[in-house]
Amino acid sequence: MHRVNLHVSATHGAARTGTATTARGTYETPLFMPVGTRGAIKYLSAADYDRLGAEIVLGNTYHLMLRPGADLIERFGGLGSFTGWDGVTLTDSGGFQVFSLDPKVDDDGVTFKSTYDGSSHRFTPEIAVAVQQQLGADIQMVLDVCPPLPSPPEVIRLAVERTHAWAQRAKAAHTRQDQALFGIVQGGVSPTMRAESAQRTVDIGFDGYGIGGLSVGESRDEMLPALAAVIEHLPADQPRYLMGVGDPASLIEAVALGVDQFDCVMQTRLGRHGTALTSTGRFQAKAARNAELDEPLDELCPCEVCARHSRGYIRHLLQVGEPTASRLLSIHNVAWTFDLMRRMRAAITDGSFDTLRREVLDVWA
């Protein structure tokens, strides 16, 4: 019995919508999951998550194990209790952050330095599982090897082999029955290696499947065939999670291939730097031409920011360095992405997904 089961309620080609059931509760797919790296989505609180309609919020294992520490979060009753969030939580393994720090990698694990104080730390598949069991998220991810792209074939091959061996060890180490464990597929942009990695990961048997190592430097034209090669080998009744992807064109193209859930820091990163996602593309809110505009960021957006605030006001806040601007733009970008996912679910159900896909790609591709 899987700890996460996906009931597909409608399909349109390979695109699908449904309901996934976890030990804590359910979530609707396809789904966008905002990232609360250090225990919060930047500029937002758990009350904001509720109001915006978030269903899953991520935490970052690497950062949380360093500050405030997994022991402390465990004493608070786990990540959800610690942050005041009652919805579903997911922790990544920390592997992506670790591998961005030029660590020392061997067959057993990885040694890396803290970004906070330079102290040395060791991660193995077993340690990553143990730390995430302490963090207590509803879904945890195995430790994988995430090579940059482009990388030589031998580097991709070694990443596939180590990811597979580490996944076997992670499954053997995982003991929490109330916490799902997702495997991760690697393989660069090679459809052959992607298919092999997917089959080997499914053979181990997990509660859901992450697709890692994409959107790390390759083009969308390179990403999509590799993604399609993975999807073909993943179970139909379990979630498929494309990790670290959040731009609108990639979201809708991946949903068209059969992906169920996504995460990305892009929405709030853009917001902090004065950029809004809109139905007509990226909008630079700080531009001088917005100074006297008494219209919302996006007239088609149903979010609270667009209902209340003008482009002129938000541009003013950015000009004077008022942090409220970053908060408002971040709320808008997360809400706008949630609404895009809602529209995808509705379009799959009513058979208009191809039309929506063309509309999105016309703006964002």
Side-chain angles (χ1 to χ4, degrees):
M1 178 69 177
H2 302 305
R3 295 183 187 92
V4 181
N5 289 288
L6 179 67
H7 171 71
V8 176
S9 57
T11 60
H12 188 97
R16 60 202 207 150
T17 185
T19 303
T21 303
T22 72
R24 178 173 298 277
T26 62
Y27 58 92
E28 301 300 309
T29 64
L31 169 82
F32 176 77
M33 307 180 292
V35 181
T37 301
R38 295 176 173 87
I41 303 168
K42 279 188 167 54
Y43 289 103
L44 275 63
S45 72
D48 295 319
Y49 313 164
D50 284 332
R51 201 174 63 257
L52 292 170
E55 295 192 80
I56 302 181
V57 175
L58 268 66
N60 183 280
T61 298
Y62 165 77
H63 285 287
L64 293 171
M65 68 169 274
L66 296 174
R67 303 278 170 86
D71 290 346
L72 187 145
I73 290 175
E74 185 177 34
R75 289 198 293 275
F76 272 84
L79 185 60
S81 298
F82 184 59
T83 61
W85 164 240
D86 294 329
V88 178
T89 51
L90 184 152
T91 44
D92 60 22
S93 68
F96 182 82
Q97 285 70 33
V98 166
F99 282 97
S100 70
L101 299 171
D102 193 26
K104 295 177 180 175
V105 188
D106 55 63
D107 286 343
D108 184 58
V110 56
T111 303
F112 59 96
K113 293 190 181 303
S114 166
T115 190
Y116 297 102
D117 60 13
S119 57
S120 183
H121 296 267
R122 178 75 173 165
F123 247 11
T124 66
E126 294 81 4
I127 292 172
V129 165
V131 168
Q132 290 183 87
Q133 289 191 159
Q134 285 187 284
L135 295 175
D138 301 292
I139 301 169
Q140 70 152 282
M141 307 300 297
V142 302
L143 181 65
D144 62 324
V145 179
C146 184
L149 293 179
S151 285
E154 59 271 19
V155 172
I156 303 295
R157 167 53 63 188
L158 184 58
V160 168
E161 295 299 334
R162 280 181 170 158
T163 295
H164 180 254
W166 291 3
Q168 291 176 307
R169 291 165 54 188
K171 184 174 182 184
H174 185 254
T175 57
R176 279 192 68 154
Q177 293 304 307
D178 62 339
Q179 181 186 59
L181 177 66
F182 281 23
I184 298 178
V185 176
Q186 285 291 343
V189 293
S190 163
T192 304
M193 274 199 272
R194 281 284 172 181
E196 177 194 330
S197 180
Q199 289 172 304
R200 294 171 71 182
T201 308
V202 170
D203 286 344
I204 298 170
F206 290 98
D207 301 310
Y209 294 90
I211 303 158
L214 291 173
S215 194
V216 292
E218 81 285 5
S219 69
R220 192 176 303 117
D221 286 342
E222 291 174 305
M223 179 182 81
L224 294 176
L227 181 58
V230 173
I231 297 293
E232 183 180 345
H233 298 285
L234 298 184
D237 61 347
Q238 293 177 268
R240 305 157 177 170
Y241 163 26
L242 179 55
M243 305 175 73
V245 171
D247 68 282
S250 294
L251 289 174
I252 202 155
E253 289 285 55
V255 167
L257 291 173
V259 174
D260 304 303
Q261 54 197 81
F262 306 84
D263 79 282
C264 198
V265 298
M266 183 188 88
Q267 279 64 15
T268 50
R269 180 178 288 157
L270 287 177
R272 295 195 303 279
H273 292 94
T275 300
L277 304 173
T278 77
S279 56
T280 56
R282 290 192 184 196
F283 172 73
Q284 305 301 328
K286 194 180 281 190
R289 63 180 178 276
N290 300 317
E292 297 184 23
L293 292 181
D294 188 21
E295 60 191 64
L297 294 169
D298 186 347
E299 291 184 341
L300 300 179
C301 177
C303 85
E304 62 193 60
V305 177
C306 289
R308 177 170 290 211
H309 299 298
S310 68
R311 292 183 174 190
Y313 174 64
I314 293 173
R315 193 255 179 184
H316 156 70
L317 296 180
L318 288 166
Q319 282 293 103
V320 297
E322 169 54 58
T324 301
S326 295
R327 172 170 160 78
L328 293 178
L329 285 165
S330 295
I331 288 173
H332 163 79
N333 285 344
V334 170
W336 188 91
T337 306
F338 284 170
D339 187 60
L340 175 62
M341 305 312 291
R342 180 196 60 75
R343 290 166 62 207
M344 286 192 215
R345 294 193 294 268
I348 293 167
T349 301
D350 69 20
S352 63
F353 183 77
D354 288 341
T355 301
L356 177 62
R357 182 182 174 199
R358 283 194 298 272
E359 289 174 3
V360 172
L361 293 179
D362 281 349
V363 174
W364 289 98

